[in-house]
Amino acid sequence: KNLRIGDFPGRWGGDEFVVCLEDFGDAGNAAAAAQKLLLVLSEKYEIGNSEVYATPSIGIAIYPDSGAAADRLIKAADLAMYQAKASGRGRYQFFADAMQEEAQTRHALEWALRRGVERGEFRLAYQPQICLRTGVILGVEALLRWEHPARGLLTPHYFIQGLEEFGLINEVGGWVIHTACEQVRRWHEMDFEPMRIGVNVSAQQLEDPMLIDKIRSALTDTNLSPEFLELELTESSLMADPAQAGALLREIRDVGVRIAIDDFGTGYSSLTYLHDFPLNALKIDRNFVQSVEANERGGPIANMIVGLGKNLGLDVIAEGVETQGQLEYLRHQGCDVAQGYYYARPESPENLTPWLASNQRVSETNVRFIPSASRDDETGT
Ligand code: C2E
Ligand code: CA
Ligand code: CA
């Protein structure tokens, strides 16, 4: 009822509709028409006894700038519509050429990641975690790397989001848990102090109904005792649905696996839930650690996290420690464990094994370790 004669709406498929406007003058009029449509479509619908609201999004493509052929034009409108959706519902968005390029880049990434999963191009790097009181290596964190056939070793910044968006994170995450357990088990068999293995688990993995089974079978397959595995979960992934997260955490705890909150302080934690969750450790994000000395916000926040951790009976692990000053500060505050470039970069197992061997028994006065030999293979350019 709100369209002019000559504007013909048609169902494109699913919940998508196409409206063609002819001779609408300039782009401003198209925007006005879109705005009007959004208003009308957002009105409440009564179905039976219930009220239903739709949250429409509109993409606008203009002939011939956005596409000279009908299929190109509709594809452009479609891309713009997804952009509108992504920037919040109930909006319209004009097509821009950049969207086309972005879509192509995403396709290329998706294709490369799928091939990477198929061909087993993922690796784990391991970074030691050191007890600040005794200098003992308490554990290592497993950090994912992608050995891209053309671009070399890439850090998660380049691909984690892609793995999540393309639905590959559960498969790769399962591989990470298994491989990390296998590797630490190998180190246990050498003559080292038995170390823990920290594994990052993303929000999507928490929704994987097979997660607990994957953890259990990784432990049985590798014959690793559960207390050596520590899952690192970010506070935002737990706080998205704290009740459900709590149930899952209790299941994990029942398996005997440890739980750490990663990037603590960067999200929003309800202190009530924090108290109720079966946790073992808090990890101070490196953003705070790197400003502890300079009298910036990092100092007070790190102190607060250490204090909170102590009071809740949790270990506190500082990540991203790069300088002696940061280390001394954290030690003075009572932080238990540190990891960072000051000690060692994340390394391949081949590089880390000799490092572990030569740093097994360090005294408190001798916690400075041999810097890693291969520094630049981590940058992932
Ligand atoms: P994160 O869990 O906060 O890991 C710490 C990051 O800080 C790592 O980056 C590590 O290489 C880096 N780092 C360690 N020490 C220092 C230091 O002294 N200085 C500086 N500047 N950086 C340091 P990385 O390896 O690039 O990983 C980035 C993020 O990717 C991780 O942040 C984690 O959230 C995610 N990630 C890594 N591996 C996995 C994985 O297997 N699964 C999932 N879901 N996420 C992962
Ligand atoms: Ca982590
Ligand atoms: Ca972090």
Side-chain angles (χ1 to χ4, degrees):
K1 63 180 177 183
N2 283 283
L3 297 165
R4 293 177 317 191
I5 300 167
D7 310 336
F8 51 96
R11 179 147 180 230
W12 186 248
D15 57 353
E16 299 189 348
F17 297 84
V18 174
V19 175
C20 296
L21 297 181
E22 278 181 290
D23 301 325
F24 54 84
D26 63 22
N29 291 335
Q35 191 61 57
K36 213 162 94 189
L37 262 177
L38 287 175
L39 273 175
V40 173
L41 293 172
S42 306
E43 278 169 15
K44 102 181 155 210
Y45 298 84
E46 282 174 24
I47 299 178
N49 283 332
S50 47
E51 297 175 352
V52 182
Y53 292 88
T55 47
S57 305
I58 298 179
I60 306 172
I62 297 177
Y63 174 87
D65 298 355
S66 314
D71 57 337
R72 295 291 302 244
L73 198 60
I74 287 175
K75 185 94 198 123
D78 196 41
L79 281 171
M81 187 268 288
Y82 275 104
Q83 187 74 51
K85 229 183 212 177
S87 51
R89 309 266 165 141
R91 293 172 192 235
Y92 66 85
Q93 171 79 51
F94 282 93
F95 171 79
D97 288 332
M99 291 174 191
Q100 186 63 40
E101 281 161 36
E102 202 191 301
Q104 271 161 1
T105 319
R106 280 172 47 84
H107 268 118
L109 178 65
E110 177 172 3
W111 183 81
L113 279 173
R114 289 190 187 283
R115 190 198 48 191
V117 171
E118 246 163 58
R119 298 191 185 171
E121 291 170 357
F122 291 92
R123 311 276 175 264
L124 289 179
Y126 298 86
Q127 187 179 38
Q129 303 176 323
I130 286 89
C131 173
L132 287 179
R133 277 176 293 108
T134 61
V136 166
I137 303 161
L138 290 180
V140 286
E141 178 178 1
L143 293 155
L144 190 58
R145 299 291 179 261
W146 177 19
E147 200 163 321
H148 190 283
R151 297 168 67 197
L153 205 62
L154 299 180
T155 56
H157 168 76
Y158 296 90
F159 61 85
I160 279 280
Q161 210 189 332
L163 288 179
E164 291 177 344
E165 270 174 46
F166 309 133
L168 297 165
I169 192 70
N170 285 345
E171 183 173 352
V172 175
W175 174 85
V176 170
I177 297 171
H178 196 280
T179 309
C181 289
E182 197 169 37
Q183 181 57 53
V184 81
R185 184 75 180 102
R186 225 170 271 150
W187 279 321
H188 284 187
E189 278 159 13
M190 298 179 188
D191 213 10
F192 305 154
E193 287 287 326
M195 302 179 300
R196 286 201 283 262
I197 178 81
V199 172
N200 294 286
V201 174
S202 78
Q204 260 188 48
Q205 287 175 270
L206 299 185
E207 279 157 34
D208 178 2
M210 299 300 288
L211 180 65
I212 291 282
D213 285 344
K214 285 176 184 170
I215 295 168
R216 275 214 197 86
S217 59
L219 293 169
T220 5
D221 291 353
T222 61
N223 199 18
L224 182 71
S225 209
E227 70 270 21
F228 289 113
L229 177 61
E230 181 164 272
L231 301 182
E232 301 189 2
L233 311 165
T234 64
E235 117 186 278
S236 39
S237 72
L238 296 176
M239 291 302 157
D241 185 348
Q244 196 187 327
L248 180 68
L249 293 188
R250 281 184 283 280
E251 267 190 272
I252 295 174
R253 194 251 336 257
D254 290 345
V255 178
V257 167
R258 291 170 55 96
I259 300 162
I261 299 202
D262 210 354
D263 297 344
F264 189 75
T266 61
Y268 303 91
S269 273
S270 149
L271 296 179
T272 312
Y273 283 114
L274 204 59
H275 182 261
D276 292 345
F277 286 160
L279 303 175
N280 301 92
L282 299 180
K283 293 195 77 173
I284 310 178
D285 188 62
R286 72 165 187 265
N287 277 315
F288 301 129
V289 170
Q290 297 194 339
S291 62
V292 289
E293 281 175 287
N295 232 347
E296 292 169 39
R297 58 178 186 148
I301 291 173
N303 301 352
M304 189 275 291
I305 297 175
V306 172
L308 185 63
K310 295 279 123 182
N311 283 319
L312 293 173
L314 308 175
D315 291 343
V316 180
I317 306 169
E319 74 172 24
V321 176
E322 291 184 355
T323 69
Q324 173 114 36
Q326 291 162 0
L327 185 85
E328 292 310 331
Y329 184 98
L330 291 160
R331 197 210 306 268
H332 186 73
Q333 293 302 325
C335 181
D336 309 290
V337 187
Q339 94 186 68
Y341 295 175
Y342 178 74
Y343 293 116
R345 301 224 165 195
E347 295 284 359
S348 66
E350 299 73 54
N351 286 344
L352 195 59
T353 302
W355 189 96
L356 292 170
S358 59
N359 287 292
Q360 272 298 298
R361 310 231 173 250
V362 274
S363 68
E364 199 191 344
T365 49
N366 181 30
V367 279
R368 180 73 214 246
F369 295 148
I370 307 156
S372 152
S374 54
R375 298 233 123 182
D376 292 324
D377 57 2
E378 282 303 322
T379 47
T381 41

